[in-house]
Amino acid sequence: MTVDHVDMPAPQVRERIARGVNGWPMLGVTVVAVLAGAALAVRGAAQNGTVSGVLVAAGVLVLLAGLVVGGGLTPVAPGEARALQLLGRYTGTVRTDGLRWVNPITARRRISTRIRNHETDVA
């Protein structure tokens, strides 16, 4: 029995621009949420009664939300990009330099975009 050669289709790889926002305002949101959550939890712990439990629970939730939002902050250096993957699937690339905020549950891989030239002497 002979096996005929099967032509495989060419891979169709396209770079997608990832949706990301400026990270500085999100850093501010993170800091405010963490501080507010801690203040609520401390205030609730200092009080007595039913309101104290609600304040502690609300403070812990706000604190955790701030930490989750802060997990989306990623620095992108000049000459680099970040490839984003959600559950192992490529979702896009962030090429904008600076502090960026992307989906906190994505995996981010650093990719070098430097141009490397080697000059050689012609004999």
Side-chain angles (χ1 to χ4, degrees):
M1 176 187 249
T2 59
V3 177
D4 293 333
H5 177 70
V6 178
D7 290 328
M8 298 297 293
Q12 299 195 4
V13 178
R14 269 185 258 147
E15 180 179 358
R16 290 184 236 157
I17 303 300
R19 291 181 298 200
V21 296
N22 188 357
W24 293 106
M26 296 306 288
L27 179 62
V29 168
T30 300
V31 169
V32 168
V34 167
L35 292 177
L40 276 174
V42 168
R43 174 90 181 212
Q47 291 182 352
N48 291 330
T50 309
V51 176
S52 68
V54 173
L55 284 177
V56 169
V60 169
L61 287 177
V62 170
L63 180 78
L64 290 176
L67 293 175
V68 168
V69 168
L73 293 171
T74 184
V76 181
E80 286 184 352
R82 299 290 175 135
L84 305 178
Q85 291 181 327
L86 180 64
L87 302 175
R89 185 176 209 163
Y90 172 73
T91 58
T93 304
V94 176
R95 288 184 169 266
T96 307
D97 297 341
L99 186 63
R100 307 296 298 167
W101 186 86
V102 295
N103 187 345
I105 61 173
T106 56
R108 290 155 243 161
R109 293 183 183 238
R110 182 179 297 169
I111 298 172
S112 175
T113 57
R114 293 185 337 188
I115 298 173
R116 298 178 186 175
N117 293 332
H118 297 285
E119 292 185 22
T120 57
D121 202 17
V122 179

